Amino acid sequence: KKGFDIIKEKPLDYSYLNAKKLEDISIKYNKKIFTLCQRIYDPIFSEFIRKINLIGKPYALQYDYFLSHNKTVGWRSKKELACGGVLLDMGYHIIDTINSFFGEIIETNSYSAFSNEETKKEILEDYTTISFKNRREVIGTINIGRNFHKKKEYITVFCDQGVAEISPKKGFSIYNNNGQEVYKLEVHVKNEEVTRNQIQDFLNIINFKDEYSYRKHLNRHLLNVETIDKIYSKQQINFINSI
């Protein structure tokens, strides 16, 4: 409202209703709201999409993303500040990746659990598993947790002529149905490079008044928030008495 374009951390917002209000403000005041979300700016993914035709059409995928926190503390353990658990925090990256590269998620079912009394009391899930189907008839599962022994992010894509394994910012391998590796990429992508790529993209949109690209960016994040809203609306919470 004060006349600034905004570059902010993900998520666009914690609810679809609020995200639509931000969209209205952006249009009314003719100012841009950009949301930092790294995965689609990772060259690993863009190269993978170019090579996936080596093994045909995807029909299923599994996305695992874990952090090595021993206990959820700080802002992540307070509902008022976090507004959601691992799905909103870590899962936003996953939803963005799947919606952008593999097709919009349209059907979901999810189960969530808690690793300590603080997050249990605040109803902020520390672990969630989600099953889904998207518009391209790809089915899959998503597993997100904060209390693993190390940080791990790993995607397995099943195609009709083979399978691929992806590690964001590290590389991917593609295998045919005979188990032979038909393509491999190993590279270390720095966080700074990915961040620079997306900020430069945002600056280009502002400087060249590229309304088409901005609308595409905003719609992408509106879809992410809407998808997460739908998943939370069907979330089944698993309270473990022995915690």
Side-chain angles (χ1 to χ4, degrees):
K1 290 181 179 180
K2 293 184 178 181
F4 294 100
D5 294 299
I6 296 171
I7 297 177
K8 60 182 290 297
E9 176 63 286
K10 57 81 190 166
L12 170 60
D13 213 302
Y14 67 89
S15 75
Y16 185 63
L17 179 62
N18 279 14
K20 291 294 288 183
K21 291 178 181 177
L22 287 179
E23 177 189 27
D24 291 342
I25 293 171
S26 173
I27 293 170
K28 180 178 180 180
Y29 293 92
N30 193 28
K31 290 298 171 183
K32 309 295 188 288
I33 302 172
F34 296 107
T35 303
L36 290 165
C37 195
Q38 298 183 1
R39 301 306 182 274
I40 76 162
Y41 288 91
D42 183 345
I44 296 296
F45 283 103
S46 54
E47 181 64 17
F48 171 73
I49 294 302
R50 283 193 285 268
K51 297 296 183 180
I52 195 173
N53 62 340
L54 291 172
I55 51 173
K57 181 181 177 182
Y59 64 86
L61 68 86
Q62 179 174 318
Y63 202 133
D64 295 322
Y65 185 19
F66 304 120
L67 294 180
S68 57
H69 295 178
N70 293 324
K71 187 176 182 181
T72 303
V73 296
W75 66 266
R76 284 187 170 97
S77 65
K78 302 298 180 184
K79 186 79 170 182
E80 182 181 7
L81 298 176
C83 299
V86 290
L87 172 57
L88 183 62
D89 179 16
M90 299 160 60
Y92 196 92
H93 292 292
I94 299 174
I95 299 302
D96 184 52
T97 301
I98 295 173
N99 280 341
S100 298
F101 289 123
F102 299 100
E104 176 187 347
I105 294 172
I106 56 174
E107 295 181 19
T108 68
N109 197 2
S110 68
Y111 298 88
S112 297
F114 309 88
S115 63
N116 61 70
E117 288 296 333
E118 287 80 5
T119 52
K120 180 180 178 181
K121 181 173 60 179
E122 295 281 320
I123 316 297
L124 294 170
E125 73 281 357
D126 291 302
Y127 187 96
T128 189
T129 183
I130 302 158
S131 58
F132 70 87
K133 183 176 81 170
N134 71 13
R135 290 199 183 279
R136 298 178 190 173
E137 297 298 315
V138 176
I139 62 171
T141 57
I142 299 167
N143 299 296
I144 316 168
R146 286 197 181 117
N147 297 291
F148 200 52
H149 63 90
K150 64 179 180 178
K151 182 176 181 179
K152 174 185 177 182
E153 187 172 359
Y154 199 76
I155 309 151
T156 307
V157 183
F158 300 88
C159 299
D160 52 15
Q161 298 172 40
V163 65
E165 298 173 304
I166 311 167
S167 295
K169 299 178 187 173
K170 295 180 181 179
F172 63 87
S173 295
I174 297 176
Y175 303 86
N176 63 23
N177 281 335
N178 294 322
Q180 298 169 317
E181 189 175 64
V182 296
Y183 190 87
K184 183 174 184 177
L185 175 67
E186 287 185 324
V187 60
H188 178 67
V189 180
K190 294 182 178 179
N191 288 334
E192 293 84 353
E193 177 184 348
V194 177
T195 302
R196 190 182 303 113
N197 288 344
Q198 58 185 319
I199 290 178
Q200 187 59 58
D201 192 24
F202 300 161
L203 292 175
N204 288 341
I205 289 173
I206 294 171
N207 292 334
F208 295 104
K209 302 186 187 306
D210 186 350
E211 296 300 326
Y212 173 80
S213 295
Y214 174 60
R215 186 71 250 180
K216 184 177 179 182
H217 172 85
L218 189 58
N219 285 343
R220 172 183 142 224
H221 286 282
L222 286 167
L223 176 60
N224 292 339
V225 177
E226 184 178 23
T227 303
I228 288 173
D229 258 10
K230 289 178 180 177
I231 296 172
Y232 270 130
S233 71
K234 296 182 178 180
Q235 181 186 51
Q236 298 185 48
I237 299 173
N238 184 28
F239 289 103
I240 303 173
N241 293 328
S242 60
I243 290 179

